[in-house]
Amino acid sequence: MTSQPFHGVLVPVLTPFTSSGDPDAGRFVAFCRWLLEQGAGGLAVFGTTSEANSMSGAERMALLDGLLEAGIPAQKLMPGTGACSLTEAADLVRHAVGHGCGGVLMLPPFYYKGVSDDGIFAFVSRVIDKVGSSALKVYLYHIPPVAQVGYSVDLVGRLIKTFPETVVGLKDSSGDWNNTAALLDRFPGFAVFPGSEVFLLDALRKGGAGCITASGNVNVPGIRKVYENWRTPQADALQAEITTLRKALQAYPMVPALKRIVAHFHNDPDWAAVRPPHVMLDQAQSSALLADLANLGFTLGERPRSMAA
Amino acid sequence: MTSQPFHGVLVPVLTPFTSSGDPDAGRFVAFCRWLLEQGAGGLAVFGTTSEANSMSGAERMALLDGLLEAGIPAQKLMPGTGACSLTEAADLVRHAVGHGCGGVLMLPPFYYKGVSDDGIFAFVSRVIDKVGSSALKVYLYHIPPVAQVGYSVDLVGRLIKTFPETVVGLKDSSGDWNNTAALLDRFPGFAVFPGSEVFLLDALRKGGAGCITASGNVNVPGIRKVYENWRTPQADALQAEITTLRKALQAYPMVPALKRIVAHFHNDPDWAAVRPPHVMLDQAQSSALLADLANLGFTLGERPRSMAA
């Protein structure tokens, strides 16, 4: 086990698209900068919420280059390197580590189903071997509701044991607290991030490193309050607040809903665009979502200057 | 509805790898040539059985280039263009149609789950629009047991209606005969290929165009007999024979099992190699598989001269 650079509220950053459907590097930089100003502990760009798997590897690498050229600190970045082929996964990992990123978030290969732990182990091993960098820090990305294929607790143990300086953490988007708790119990010092802030306080109390959560795109300050105050008497009340907001968001398709919120509060309608197979919220859904948020007293606050791309 | 070039027994061709794990273009050409000599009606290279999603787009395109340079007729080729992003899917389709391939076999975007028909429709439409070629013939690839995401019968109808000259067929690997029958009933003239020869005779009796089947890699002649004699009194007996062999194969992980068979009968051990997350059969599985085949009297026949790469 080794030290690792990420703590707190990490955000799987939404990806803005231009009116022609291409990734919009300028608005992406502005949004990433704003998230860091809001207190994000790191940016897990190119995750599920980022529609990363709706972009080519080249598109993802160009966006990452854009962030670094704009001065976003590489050590704050944990790019997703999800790909079904070890060739592509290795290319994405090599690019990220070559640019000094703090880590990478690695999906298992997700096309074939019913694959064995041995097969996933071989995939991750070969990617690490192909990249061959001692600077590489891998965070395993466990999200069985979407990828279907996941990292079992035993497999995580085997990867930690084989690559103790490289496999340093995991994002658990199983939605199953028992799985998160088992990881925290079994691997002390391994950086476990629940994939939803609903489990943040419980995770911190068992030694979790923070969380990596979609709703961070619209609520870093609220979630940070739990992270900063988890040992205080206010912790449970703060957790209840962020859980309530999360549950309101979860009533809608998450990616289109988050983009609709950003579009509304930043007064930038183009932010609502998604790539297929996602579809934008319709007018009725949009109105209901914004009404739900108003009822909760939610606001994203003023559009900061840095959002001007 | 328009005419389409594929009929009979189509093979989703296994992909050989070198000892260093790279796609082996030379052995791939030789194997494709042999399959056509055996009577394959077309080669659905880069399907699920081909481990296509374990290769990068660049690797797939290089293998396709190799086939064409070696003189494999482009009109016999129906490359899979499966990708989660429309950018990559469009690149693969553009490459295939630009080289004169008879068609392409198109997976729906398969990372995000629970997506709507509208979202999949938007994906396919945008790929077709981006490629913008009247020469393009799209075969939809419906394989929900693996991709999880599929083409509903209603969505197929909508795509046919919107792109009558382009969306001309479908491979149905649902394993659900009722779905195949519904497609055949509802869309006469649309080229429906069951994804297993188990359903070949039933499909032909309802107007099916043939089948696209993994076991074609080792049994084109047997499956062709059903295709050629389906109106004769022998049809049911011939179908029973190929069903028996298929069920014997299905007792093992399909891709490693087929590669093991090719390696054995062609006396070329390297053929058994798979890419992670697949794993090769172990010694006990290999022995059991070959014993099962021997009990059925199966042989792949002599290794033809064209298999020498």
Side-chain angles (χ1 to χ4, degrees):
Chain A
M1 209 71 63
T2 183
S3 68
Q4 64 85 30
F6 294 101
H7 303 276
V9 184
L10 276 66
V11 183
V13 184
L14 294 165
T15 306
F17 295 106
T18 65
S19 52
S20 58
D22 294 318
D24 187 331
R27 279 145 82 237
F28 187 57
V29 166
F31 192 64
C32 284
R33 191 174 287 140
W34 177 72
L35 289 169
L36 291 174
E37 289 170 5
Q38 295 255 307
L43 301 178
V45 295
F46 317 141
T48 301
T49 306
S50 318
E51 299 172 83
N53 292 103
S54 299
M55 292 190 279
S56 68
E59 287 174 324
R60 290 188 252 176
M61 289 192 258
L63 281 176
L64 183 58
D65 290 342
L67 292 183
L68 298 169
E69 283 159 19
I72 302 288
Q75 275 295 308
K76 290 285 186 191
L77 296 173
M78 185 198 287
T81 56
C84 295
S85 76
L86 65 92
T87 337
E88 288 165 307
D91 284 348
L92 290 165
V93 172
R94 194 180 292 113
H95 180 260
V97 73
H99 286 71
C101 290
V104 300
L105 190 56
M106 194 184 291
L107 279 171
F110 55 83
Y111 180 66
Y112 298 97
K113 304 305 182 300
V115 298
S116 64
D117 277 7
D118 283 349
I120 302 171
F121 180 84
F123 181 95
V124 175
S125 300
R126 286 219 212 161
V127 170
I128 291 172
D129 289 346
K130 274 168 100 72
V131 173
S133 166
S134 61
L136 173 61
K137 302 292 176 203
V138 169
Y139 297 79
L140 305 172
Y141 188 9
H142 181 59
I143 182 168
V146 180
Q148 308 287 320
V149 177
Y151 297 101
S152 71
V153 175
D154 283 348
L155 174 56
V156 172
R158 190 171 159 197
L159 286 165
I160 293 172
K161 192 170 173 190
T162 311
F163 303 103
E165 302 298 318
T166 303
V167 176
V168 298
L170 180 141
K171 175 181 181 186
D172 186 0
S173 296
S174 65
D176 174 4
W177 168 250
N178 290 331
N179 190 68
T180 310
L183 291 164
L184 287 164
D185 285 338
R186 195 153 147 193
F187 309 119
F190 185 65
V192 176
F193 298 86
S196 163
E197 72 273 28
V198 166
F199 305 114
L200 177 55
L201 183 56
D202 288 336
L204 292 170
R205 285 173 173 161
K206 285 179 80 73
C211 64
I212 306 177
T213 177
S215 16
N217 282 283
V218 298
N219 193 28
V220 166
I223 305 169
R224 262 192 78 88
K225 279 189 202 157
V226 174
Y227 180 70
E228 288 166 356
N229 298 288
W230 71 272
R231 294 173 194 268
T232 72
Q234 292 76 43
D236 286 284
L238 293 168
Q239 176 65 53
E241 273 184 43
I242 63 174
T243 295
T244 299
L245 177 62
R246 172 74 181 208
K247 295 203 165 162
L249 294 172
Q250 284 180 183
Y252 301 87
M254 187 60 99
V255 174
L258 292 171
K259 288 189 140 178
R260 188 69 190 78
I261 295 169
V262 174
H264 177 79
F265 284 97
H266 293 160
N267 198 24
D268 181 356
D270 286 349
W271 249 107
V274 294
R275 265 199 174 170
H278 284 311
V279 291
M280 299 203 307
L281 298 192
D282 62 27
Q283 195 51 54
Q285 286 175 309
S286 294
S287 301
L289 168 64
L290 295 173
D292 289 351
L293 294 180
N295 287 337
L296 291 174
F298 173 85
T299 173
L300 207 55
E302 271 188 87
R303 182 166 183 264
R305 212 165 26 147
S306 66
M307 283 289 288
Chain B
M1 211 69 65
T2 185
S3 68
Q4 64 85 31
F6 294 101
H7 303 275
V9 183
L10 276 66
V11 183
V13 184
L14 294 164
T15 306
F17 295 106
T18 65
S19 52
S20 58
D22 294 317
D24 187 331
R27 279 145 83 236
F28 187 56
V29 166
F31 192 63
C32 284
R33 191 174 286 139
W34 176 72
L35 289 169
L36 291 173
E37 288 170 5
Q38 295 254 308
L43 301 177
V45 294
F46 317 140
T48 301
T49 306
S50 317
E51 299 171 84
N53 292 103
S54 299
M55 293 190 278
S56 68
E59 287 174 323
R60 290 188 252 176
M61 289 192 258
L63 282 176
L64 182 58
D65 291 342
L67 291 183
L68 297 169
E69 283 160 20
I72 303 289
Q75 275 295 309
K76 291 285 186 190
L77 297 172
M78 184 197 287
T81 55
C84 295
S85 77
L86 66 92
T87 337
E88 287 164 308
D91 284 348
L92 291 165
V93 172
R94 193 180 292 111
H95 180 260
V97 73
H99 286 73
C101 290
V104 300
L105 190 56
M106 194 184 292
L107 280 172
F110 54 84
Y111 180 66
Y112 297 98
K113 304 305 184 299
V115 297
S116 64
D117 278 6
D118 283 350
I120 302 170
F121 180 84
F123 181 95
V124 175
S125 300
R126 286 219 212 162
V127 170
I128 292 173
D129 289 346
K130 273 167 100 75
V131 173
S133 167
S134 61
L136 174 60
K137 302 292 177 202
V138 169
Y139 297 80
L140 304 171
Y141 187 8
H142 181 60
I143 182 168
V146 181
Q148 308 287 319
V149 177
Y151 296 102
S152 71
V153 176
D154 283 348
L155 174 57
V156 173
R158 190 172 159 197
L159 286 165
I160 294 171
K161 194 170 170 190
T162 311
F163 303 104
E165 303 296 319
T166 303
V167 176
V168 299
L170 180 142
K171 175 181 181 186
D172 186 1
S173 295
S174 64
D176 174 5
W177 167 250
N178 290 330
N179 190 68
T180 310
L183 292 165
L184 288 164
D185 285 339
R186 195 154 146 194
F187 310 118
F190 185 65
V192 175
F193 298 86
S196 164
E197 71 274 27
V198 166
F199 304 114
L200 177 56
L201 184 55
D202 288 336
L204 292 170
R205 285 173 172 160
K206 286 179 79 73
C211 64
I212 306 177
T213 177
S215 15
N217 281 285
V218 298
N219 193 27
V220 166
I223 304 169
R224 263 191 76 89
K225 278 190 201 157
V226 174
Y227 180 70
E228 287 166 355
N229 298 287
W230 70 273
R231 294 172 194 269
T232 72
Q234 292 76 44
D236 287 284
L238 293 169
Q239 176 66 52
E241 273 184 42
I242 62 174
T243 296
T244 299
L245 178 61
R246 172 75 181 207
K247 295 202 166 163
L249 295 172
Q250 285 180 182
Y252 301 88
M254 187 60 98
V255 173
L258 291 171
K259 288 189 141 179
R260 188 68 190 80
I261 295 169
V262 173
H264 177 79
F265 284 97
H266 293 159
N267 199 24
D268 181 355
D270 286 349
W271 249 107
V274 293
R275 265 198 174 171
H278 284 310
V279 292
M280 298 204 307
L281 298 192
D282 61 27
Q283 196 51 53
Q285 287 175 308
S286 295
S287 302
L289 168 64
L290 295 173
D292 288 351
L293 294 180
N295 287 337
L296 291 174
F298 173 85
T299 174
L300 206 56
E302 269 187 86
R303 182 167 183 263
R305 211 163 27 147
S306 66
M307 282 290 287

